[in-house]
Amino acid sequence: MNRAFSRKKDKTWMHTPEALSKHFIPYNAKFLGSTEVEQPKGTEVVRDAVRKLKFARHIKKSEGQKIPKVELQISIYGVKILEPKTKEVQHNCQLHRISFCADDKTDKRIFTFICKDSESNKHLCYVFDSEKCAEEITLTIGQAFDLAYRKFLESGGKDVETRKQIAGLQKRIQDLETENTELKNKVHDLENKLRITQVSTSPAGTVTPKSPSTDIFDMIPFSPISHQSSIPTRNGSQPPPVPSRSAEIKRDLFGAEPFDPFNCGAGDFPPDIQSKLDEMQRQRWRGSKWD
């Protein structure tokens, strides 16, 4: 391994300062992965990390998995690792957290850097595979360090603190956006569950009963269809509909109940009155016989 950058005055860099300070330099590479290391720098440290990740990648390759391709965006603010097609940021390694960067002289396709994770505070070694640009990418990261250090000296350290605050705010915004997306998905799932529950609990094919319409006098119009259940007579014919009687029976001036032809019958009179009627009927029959 070789330490890829230094702050020598006679160092000749590949890119203009404006390209790294105002924009970024993009590179394409294959991402072997990242692994935790015990030290923030050292040739042996990155060599062991490369050996470990190469072995893990060899096993995945034998299982049919390909090495994922990524896009690196290098600037004085750090190294971003993005998905090439969607441009989704997978890792954002801020420059002040990168402690070591090197390329492998035995395998010119491999380059690495060590970065301290902002959440776990663990040192992670990132390993990449680039067939043609491994050394150039390492030198570009070195140039970004050199420009950032010069800017640090010019601003008296204030610029670094500002970048840290901006990076912290960006991380907070990203966390809030992720949390907002998760909450939206939960609300959507709850709405779907509630909709399914309402459909399953309501009986299929039910029709909501409507209240009968009324006329201008707020009265229900007459309907020729009777709602009473019909009871067949002995000969099979249907009896005439019985008009409904109110619960309170009206009486005349003498206190007697009005004559009701539908409910009048022999069984409706009290026993004493019925016996008198029978006696009068017999006397009448005898009188007619003697005549």
Side-chain angles (χ1 to χ4, degrees):
M1 292 289 180
N2 178 37
R3 183 67 180 267
F5 55 89
S6 62
R7 298 190 182 95
K8 294 181 180 179
K9 294 182 179 180
D10 57 349
K11 187 72 176 180
T12 301
W13 299 114
M14 302 179 60
H15 306 284
T16 61
E18 291 77 11
L20 286 168
S21 59
K22 296 182 180 181
H23 305 283
F24 59 84
I25 307 298
Y27 288 101
N28 292 322
K30 294 181 179 180
F31 186 33
L32 273 70
S34 63
T35 183
E36 183 183 357
V37 292
E38 296 180 356
Q39 301 295 329
K41 59 183 179 179
T43 303
E44 292 297 328
V45 174
V46 294
R47 182 180 288 116
D48 292 339
V50 171
R51 189 183 302 111
K52 179 181 179 180
L53 290 174
K54 276 186 174 181
F55 179 75
R57 184 55 58 183
H58 179 73
I59 294 176
K60 291 183 179 180
K61 188 176 181 180
S62 63
E63 296 175 352
Q65 299 184 20
K66 296 182 179 180
I67 303 176
K69 295 180 180 180
V70 295
E71 177 183 328
L72 301 178
Q73 293 182 356
I74 304 172
S75 68
I76 62 172
Y77 302 105
V79 180
K80 289 184 179 180
I81 305 172
L82 299 85
E83 206 283 328
K85 294 182 179 179
T86 63
K87 302 300 180 181
E88 180 182 358
V89 179
Q90 298 178 352
H91 303 278
N92 185 11
C93 302
Q94 301 169 15
L95 200 67
H96 68 275
R97 292 183 175 274
I98 297 177
S99 56
F100 190 80
C101 180
D103 59 275
D104 192 347
K105 295 305 178 182
T106 59
D107 188 350
K108 296 185 179 297
R109 300 177 305 173
I110 302 298
F111 67 96
T112 66
F113 63 82
I114 298 176
C115 180
K116 189 176 182 180
D117 186 67
S118 59
E119 295 182 356
S120 63
N121 286 328
K122 296 180 180 179
H123 295 283
L124 302 178
C125 182
Y126 295 81
V127 181
F128 302 88
D129 184 339
S130 178
E131 186 175 354
K132 298 179 180 179
C133 302
E135 184 177 1
E136 181 180 341
I137 294 172
T138 307
L139 290 174
T140 303
I141 296 176
Q143 184 180 1
F145 266 99
D146 185 73
L147 292 173
Y149 181 70
R150 290 181 183 179
K151 198 170 184 180
F152 170 77
L153 295 178
E154 293 173 358
S155 62
K158 296 180 180 179
D159 187 65
V160 174
E161 295 299 327
T162 302
R163 289 203 304 269
K164 287 182 179 180
Q165 294 177 3
I166 293 174
L169 292 174
Q170 290 176 346
K171 182 65 169 57
R172 180 58 179 165
I173 292 172
Q174 186 177 359
D175 293 340
L176 290 175
E177 290 177 351
T178 303
E179 184 178 354
N180 188 29
T181 303
E182 292 177 354
L183 290 175
K184 286 183 179 179
N185 293 334
K186 288 182 180 179
V187 171
H188 183 68
D189 293 340
L190 289 175
E191 290 177 350
N192 290 337
K193 290 180 180 178
L194 180 61
R195 192 179 298 109
I196 293 173
T197 304
Q198 291 176 348
V199 172
S200 60
T201 52
S202 60
T206 57
V207 179
T208 305
K210 296 181 179 179
S211 59
S213 58
T214 58
D215 56 13
I216 59 175
F217 300 104
D218 199 20
M219 298 181 65
I220 300 175
F222 171 75
S223 176
I225 302 176
S226 176
H227 296 282
Q228 297 179 355
S229 59
S230 58
I231 303 174
T233 58
R234 293 180 180 179
N235 57 2
S237 61
Q238 298 289 340
V242 179
S244 61
R245 301 180 64 185
S246 61
E248 183 181 357
I249 301 175
K250 296 181 181 180
R251 299 179 183 273
D252 56 11
L253 296 175
F254 302 97
E257 295 181 4
F259 175 72
D260 190 351
F262 296 98
N263 296 325
C264 180
D268 294 335
F269 297 102
D272 55 342
I273 297 177
Q274 186 66 40
S275 61
K276 291 180 180 181
L277 290 175
D278 294 342
E279 181 65 24
M280 292 173 64
Q281 185 69 21
R282 284 195 296 270
Q283 291 178 1
R284 182 181 178 185
W285 180 77
R286 290 173 184 173
S288 61
K289 183 179 179 181
W290 292 110
D291 292 340

